Amino acid sequence: MAGIPPAPSPGVVAKKPARRCAEVCLELLCAESVRLFHAKQSGPAAAAALEAVGYRVGQQLAERYTRDKPRLGDTLEIIKFVCKDFWQALFKKQVDNLKTNHRGVYVLQDNGFRWLQRLSPPAPGSDPGREEAARQLALSYLHLPCGIVRGALCHLGVICTVEADPKQMPSCTFTIRIMA
Amino acid sequence: MLRSGPTGARNAPALEQINAEVFTLTYGSIVRQLISDYEDIEEVNKQLEQMGYNMGIRLVDEFLAKAKISRCSSFRDTADVVAKQALPMFLNVTANVTNWSPDQTECSLVLTDNPLADFVELPDEYRELRYCNVLAGVVRGALEMVNMEVECRWVSDMLRGDDCYELRLKLKEHRDEKFPYKDDD
Amino acid sequence: MGIACVAFIGPQNNPMYLRSIDPASDDLYMKLHYVIHCALDAVEEKVLLKRGPGDSQDAYLGLLYPTEDYKVYGYLTNTHVKVLLLLDDEGAVKDEAVMRVFRRLHGLYVDTASNPFHKFGLPLSSPRFDAAVDGVVSIYRGAGASQGGFMT
């Protein structure tokens, strides 16, 4: 028949293979964004800006990563999705440990948080000043990923706050507090 | 932990890879944030270029650690390396080097596939935004580390309706130092 | 497949996108809005019903309800975006075919949402998205498309 464009073959919609790039591009981009936002603004304002950057990315990744997934159910299921598939896609591994107090607080532990890998922890026995400086630096790098996690969760219907604690780098905990 | 795999064939060095969408989306979100923080689009363009410059000066180390390139003393060779080795290594895309000026101090890097621009639809109100300006900065920063002072500016942009991404490179100064990575000796 | 209307509604039942395939009068738009409004109620019911253990938790919600003029089909994303298709087919329509349309529309939405200039919570305003929806609709308008198979 003339005039009708050929139809796609029935079945799954063809998806192009995911585009790849070198990880170092993302690392340097994140490092630069930390520097950039802290250079022009006070600490809290810079933190808020970085969190906002992450939040938008989290919303967009929630759309992308849940596109082909069966419907996620309750809060726990959504958080488990974040700990497994989402963390894997974003940080190349799953969360190592998930704890909850069953009253709206979830603690995610990642023993080798990828986005802190480039920061070297202070040598054991360093003076408290050094340790604190290293901790502050790590915290500045964590606003963006916290924003991503919070953005994704909120976009999936779990309204919450996310706070990171770089206890012993590169190990890091993320505390999710569900807002009632 | 990041440099996995052997330094393999000349054109396929093994840098750890990720799905580009996280990079693309993060960059896009940064651009959005800068626009809301600065409001002046020209200022945003400058910040993006500066950000790229800072990234470029560090990317060079990553590149030279992986790529087997012999001494690269001419601007011409360098442009080729950027287009045919560096861009593929970091972004898995290639560019063509064209439009050389007669005195060989100016050329264009032309791309039709640009990961930074995936999903991007530039609204009319941001017509003046040079969305990919980070790349201009990266090239400027990288070349500065090999003693070439260049000016990089976008002359074509697919996000603005052109049919390709064209980065114009203009060599201002080539400090005549020996390229630190010699293949002889 | 007689796709009369494509609609996207956000998590807060905020209107994101409403497209009447054939040019619509104000009256028709009012009718469409009404149908969509009822459809959202039907979506909620379906979602509650599907919550039983062992139930397949798909995005595709199937036929929500038939009105006089349309068959209304629904689809719900994990991000609580509702996609509605109003079909004006006389005869039978296979679920498979409708599912395929929804999946493509979902994909288009996800890519549009990945635009850094996209604003969540506001209506979609993307010429690229509009053109792409046109493209999907035109592919599926072919004879036999409702049956799941395609004829050229």
Side-chain angles (χ1 to χ4, degrees):
Chain A
M1 278 192 211
I4 302 175
S9 51
V12 180
V13 172
K15 275 200 330 200
K16 296 178 286 192
R19 190 202 277 280
R20 309 276 274 167
C21 72
E23 186 170 25
V24 66
C25 298
L26 180 64
E27 282 173 7
L28 289 178
L29 181 67
C30 291
E32 257 316 293
S33 67
V34 171
R35 184 206 62 80
L36 172 61
F37 287 104
H38 278 92
K40 301 278 175 176
Q41 299 168 84
S42 68
L50 286 164
E51 223 264 352
V53 170
Y55 190 86
R56 259 187 305 270
V57 175
Q59 291 177 298
Q60 293 171 321
L61 287 178
E63 294 286 2
R64 299 195 76 80
Y65 292 161
T66 62
R67 179 194 162 169
D68 295 319
K69 288 220 120 25
R71 193 131 23 93
L72 295 167
D74 58 12
T75 297
L76 182 60
E77 235 182 274
I78 293 171
I79 291 190
K80 281 184 174 165
F81 161 75
V82 166
C83 291
K84 294 184 173 157
D85 297 2
F86 192 84
W87 218 263
Q88 180 74 44
L90 197 49
F91 304 121
K92 293 194 153 191
K93 61 186 285 292
Q94 299 190 358
V95 160
D96 293 303
N97 197 279
L98 170 65
K99 290 203 284 256
T100 177
N101 68 355
H102 300 291
R103 283 199 296 268
V105 181
Y106 298 82
V107 180
L108 282 54
Q109 184 163 327
D110 186 329
N111 295 326
F113 189 59
R114 198 143 181 111
W115 288 20
L116 287 180
Q117 301 271 19
R118 279 230 171 189
L119 299 181
S120 28
S126 304
D127 65 83
R130 258 235 175 116
E131 287 203 5
E132 184 53 26
R135 190 186 149 73
Q136 287 304 319
L137 183 64
L139 282 171
S140 72
Y141 273 71
L142 288 168
H143 299 305
L144 216 160
C146 279
I148 295 179
V149 174
R150 192 171 79 90
L153 284 167
C154 290
H155 204 60
L156 291 169
V158 177
I159 312 303
C160 61
T161 61
V162 177
E163 213 178 291
D165 187 1
K167 285 181 178 330
Q168 274 181 293
M169 280 155 46
S171 177
C172 191
T173 59
F174 294 81
T175 302
I176 300 171
R177 290 196 168 83
I178 312 295
M179 290 168 48
Chain B
M1 96 339 295
L2 293 166
R3 310 183 204 291
S4 58
T7 3
R10 188 192 171 103
N11 290 320
L15 274 180
E16 191 82 22
Q17 302 281 303
I18 53 168
N19 277 346
E21 66 197 345
V22 183
F23 174 66
T24 299
L25 294 176
T26 302
Y27 179 69
S29 193
I30 290 171
V31 174
R32 254 302 273 297
Q33 191 64 34
L34 288 175
I35 291 175
S36 86
D37 286 350
Y38 285 101
E39 287 179 17
D40 173 23
I41 297 299
E42 258 324 300
E43 186 59 35
V44 175
N45 289 336
K46 274 207 310 225
Q47 293 297 330
L48 291 176
E49 204 276 350
Q50 183 61 38
M51 192 166 75
Y53 175 83
N54 294 336
M55 290 169 67
I57 60 182
R58 291 156 76 185
L59 275 171
V60 172
D61 285 339
E62 300 282 343
F63 177 70
L64 294 173
K66 288 285 179 200
K68 284 179 172 171
I69 51 167
S70 42
R71 57 182 311 126
C72 189
S73 48
S74 78
F75 180 51
R76 195 170 181 110
D77 284 347
T78 306
D80 261 344
V81 165
V82 170
K84 305 293 186 202
Q85 290 194 59
L87 279 173
M89 184 190 294
F90 293 110
L91 296 178
N92 289 312
V93 293
T94 44
N96 286 318
V97 189
T98 63
N99 290 348
W100 280 99
S101 64
D103 62 0
Q104 305 283 287
T105 61
E106 274 194 55
C107 69
S108 288
L109 287 181
V110 178
L111 294 119
T112 46
D113 187 20
N114 183 349
L116 284 177
D118 280 347
F119 320 122
V120 180
E121 253 181 292
L122 199 61
D124 271 335
E125 62 192 292
Y126 301 128
R127 213 171 306 117
E128 303 305 307
L129 179 68
R130 274 168 253 142
Y131 186 87
C132 304
N133 233 19
V134 71
L135 267 181
V138 166
V139 174
R140 181 172 72 92
L143 263 54
E144 176 135 337
M145 294 305 278
V146 294
N147 299 311
M148 292 180 206
E149 194 187 314
V150 295
E151 226 174 58
C152 297
R153 60 191 178 88
W154 290 102
V155 296
S156 287
D157 188 345
M158 284 175 93
L159 294 178
R160 293 172 169 185
D162 300 322
D163 57 14
C164 68
Y165 298 97
E166 183 178 344
L167 187 65
R168 191 82 189 143
L169 272 56
K170 184 168 172 175
L171 181 68
K172 310 298 297 268
E173 199 189 321
H174 186 173
R175 285 178 283 275
D176 221 341
E177 251 176 67
K178 264 201 166 179
F179 190 71
Y181 295 84
K182 298 185 290 216
D183 60 357
D184 39 32
D185 289 15
Chain C
M1 190 187 299
I3 299 178
C5 175
V6 176
F8 282 76
I9 295 104
Q12 268 76 48
N13 280 353
N14 45 305
M16 281 166 61
Y17 186 81
L18 175 58
R19 178 66 184 287
S20 168
I21 300 309
D22 293 321
S25 62
D26 282 343
D27 276 348
L28 180 55
Y29 266 116
M30 272 189 62
K31 187 190 232 174
L32 293 175
H33 276 291
Y34 176 73
V35 169
I36 285 163
H37 189 80
C38 297
L40 291 177
D41 288 336
V43 167
E44 273 199 51
E45 265 182 55
K46 273 244 171 174
V47 169
L48 286 171
L49 279 176
K50 274 197 169 189
R51 276 222 174 279
D55 275 347
S56 130
Q57 302 269 4
D58 279 339
Y60 180 63
L61 299 174
L63 177 65
L64 293 177
Y65 70 104
T67 70
E68 206 175 283
D69 307 295
Y70 307 114
K71 292 186 178 118
V72 186
Y73 287 82
Y75 181 99
L76 179 65
T77 73
N78 272 310
T79 53
H80 309 288
V81 171
K82 289 141 277 226
V83 191
L84 299 176
L85 277 176
L86 275 57
L87 307 186
D88 55 24
D89 289 71
E90 293 278 314
V93 180
K94 273 201 179 154
D95 276 324
E96 241 175 72
V98 184
M99 258 194 269
R100 223 169 286 131
V101 179
F102 275 126
R103 275 203 282 270
R104 292 189 79 125
L105 290 174
H106 188 182
L108 294 182
Y109 161 69
V110 166
D111 281 348
T112 298
S114 299
N115 176 14
F117 298 100
H118 171 74
K119 292 190 164 117
F120 286 101
L122 291 185
L124 298 180
S125 62
S126 155
R128 192 184 292 173
F129 181 77
D130 289 338
V133 169
D134 273 343
V136 169
V137 169
S138 68
I139 287 176
Y140 289 88
R141 278 204 120 162
S146 304
Q147 295 306 301
F150 299 96
M151 285 162 25
T152 50

